[in-house]
Amino acid sequence: MPRFMDVHEGMHGITDEALRAAHQADLDIQDDEGVDFQRAWGDPESGMVWCVSEAPDAEAVKRIHERAGHPTTTVYPVPVEV
């Protein structure tokens, strides 16, 4: 299954607890689109959050994030990994 990295902006001050809750919101509904969210990282200072997932396509990733309450328009395919 294709792998993706998506980026969220504007999440200034994100805490471990808030990131965990946002990630769990994705996990709770990811099966609806056949997505597997694997990891999430956040930087409270810049407000950036990054997520790695496997999904049928980038649009499925966007739909889950939108429904979970933290939409993104930036989803990159990750075709090469070491």
Side-chain angles (χ1 to χ4, degrees):
M1 175 138 4
R3 182 168 279 196
F4 297 92
M5 167 81 67
D6 63 79
V7 182
H8 303 263
E9 297 183 46
M11 299 182 85
H12 298 280
I14 187 99
T15 63
D16 289 354
E17 183 177 290
L19 182 58
R20 197 173 342 275
H23 185 64
Q24 188 61 52
D26 292 328
L27 297 178
D28 288 346
I29 59 173
Q30 68 182 4
D31 291 343
D32 294 352
E33 297 279 350
V35 178
D36 177 18
F37 285 100
Q38 298 171 345
R39 300 275 314 218
W41 300 266
D43 177 9
E45 193 170 311
S46 70
M48 306 272 300
V49 169
W50 303 269
C51 303
V52 169
S53 61
E54 290 184 348
D57 54 45
E59 293 305 312
V61 174
K62 290 178 184 179
R63 285 190 295 270
I64 292 296
H65 279 320
E66 176 77 31
R67 288 179 49 209
H70 40 269
T72 185
T73 58
T74 309
V75 181
Y76 299 102
V78 183
V80 177
E81 182 177 346
V82 294

